[in-house]
Amino acid sequence: MKELVTKINANIEIFKANAEAQVVKGNKAAGARARKAALELMKDLKEFRKASVAATK
């Protein structure tokens, strides 16, 4: 589960950097990278939820 949390934190950093580049600098390619990171982040968060629920049982 630690590996998953590390992966989630990495995706958050990628998203933040690219989203900021899109908003501040108007970089369209950064927007695409931010959206991709958001999709990966959603998948990882769902996986974390499943693992977390399983760990509490």
Side-chain angles (χ1 to χ4, degrees):
M1 188 131 95
K2 286 184 180 185
E3 298 162 356
L4 185 56
V5 172
T6 303
K7 187 177 176 184
I8 290 170
N9 284 330
N11 279 335
I12 288 171
E13 293 302 319
I14 292 169
F15 172 78
K16 285 175 21 180
N18 286 307
E20 184 174 339
Q22 180 188 17
V23 172
V24 174
K25 299 177 184 175
N27 186 338
K28 290 182 182 179
R33 290 190 300 268
R35 290 189 298 274
K36 182 179 177 185
L39 288 174
E40 288 296 319
L41 188 57
M42 285 182 6
K43 290 177 189 176
D44 292 339
L45 288 171
K46 286 179 183 179
E47 189 176 329
F48 175 79
R49 184 175 185 278
K50 287 179 187 176
S52 178
V53 169
T56 59
K57 290 184 178 182

